[in-house]
Amino acid sequence: MSDATDPWLIVGLGNPGPEYAANRHNVGFMVADLLAERIGGKFKRAQKAQAQVVEGRVGPPGPGSRRVVLVKPMAYMNLSGGPVNALRDFYKVPLGHIVAVHDELDVDYGVLRLKLGGGDNGHNGLKSMTKAMGADYHRVRFGIGRPPGRMQVADFVLKDFSSTERKELAFLVDRSADAVECLLAEGLERAQSAYNS
């Protein structure tokens, strides 16, 4: 059981290193970076896990604000579950207070989908998190669409967004950060009706 005072763990999924920074697979890091900026924090190395973290509060001052720990796992995507689970234990976060922000192939570019639980749909970051702690955490799924032609999925997700996609990217990352804040403040149903496009 979770209660209103329990912290939230917001996990932006991605791969560490500058060569991956602008990849489609790293959109979770982009959203986490924006949320950190919004709360006036800077990512620093976690003591207890292979990750970078920022602690702060999201939402209006007073009873509506939520304590959050923003997380960027510094293990590669397919090993994300270990650092996330270690931080979950350290901060004593219930599973229902974990939000994974990640790229989603089966959703068109620019479309957001929020949900609780479910499968990993072949996403290695989710697969690793689910293996480490179960599937009943929230997901903010940022649509990247399917690869064109015969391009392999692995090649597609590890490529930077196209010049056309980049025109909208800042707006879409901003909208994703808004969706995370709405989920924390108003719950999943309200966030879904506002942001599931």
Side-chain angles (χ1 to χ4, degrees):
M1 272 307 284
S2 59
D3 79 37
T5 61
D6 286 324
W8 285 79
L9 213 56
I10 313 300
V11 182
L13 287 174
N15 284 308
E19 67 275 32
Y20 298 108
N23 289 178
R24 292 182 177 93
H25 223 19
N26 271 44
V27 75
F29 275 17
M30 296 173 199
V31 175
D33 285 337
L34 179 58
L35 285 165
E37 203 177 292
R38 288 184 180 184
I39 65 175
K42 284 207 183 322
F43 277 99
K44 53 183 182 285
R45 229 176 94 215
Q47 299 286 310
K48 303 290 176 187
Q50 193 181 354
Q52 291 184 351
V53 294
V54 175
E55 295 180 51
R57 298 193 84 83
V58 163
S65 86
R66 301 283 179 263
R67 199 172 130 225
V68 297
V69 182
L70 303 173
V71 180
K72 294 196 297 187
M74 291 288 116
Y76 285 98
M77 184 70 89
N78 60 339
L79 301 171
S80 302
V84 174
N85 203 32
L87 290 168
R88 174 194 173 207
D89 288 346
F90 179 69
Y91 288 104
K92 300 181 174 36
V93 178
L95 194 52
H97 272 212
I98 295 175
V99 182
V101 184
H102 63 92
D103 57 304
E104 178 61 60
L105 286 159
D106 283 338
V107 176
D108 289 340
Y109 179 69
V111 174
L112 276 184
R113 290 272 191 277
L114 284 78
K115 70 174 192 170
L116 174 63
D120 56 56
N121 207 17
H123 192 288
N124 287 332
L126 296 180
K127 200 176 286 182
S128 179
M129 283 180 62
T130 297
K131 187 176 174 196
M133 58 194 186
D136 292 331
Y137 53 89
H138 290 87
R139 294 102 191 273
V140 174
R141 303 155 71 207
F142 184 109
I144 60 168
R146 282 264 159 202
R150 293 170 181 260
M151 188 188 288
Q152 294 294 311
V153 164
D155 295 333
F156 179 68
V157 299
L158 294 176
K159 282 207 175 352
D160 291 358
F161 286 99
S162 71
S163 55
T164 309
E165 289 169 336
R166 282 198 299 271
K167 288 180 181 138
E168 282 187 285
L169 186 59
F171 166 76
L172 296 169
V173 167
D174 195 64
R175 192 164 182 271
S176 303
D178 291 347
V180 171
E181 291 183 351
C182 181
L183 169 63
L184 271 54
E186 301 184 48
L188 181 61
E189 276 184 41
R190 287 293 295 274
Q192 284 174 324
S193 64
Y195 292 96
N196 277 13
S197 35

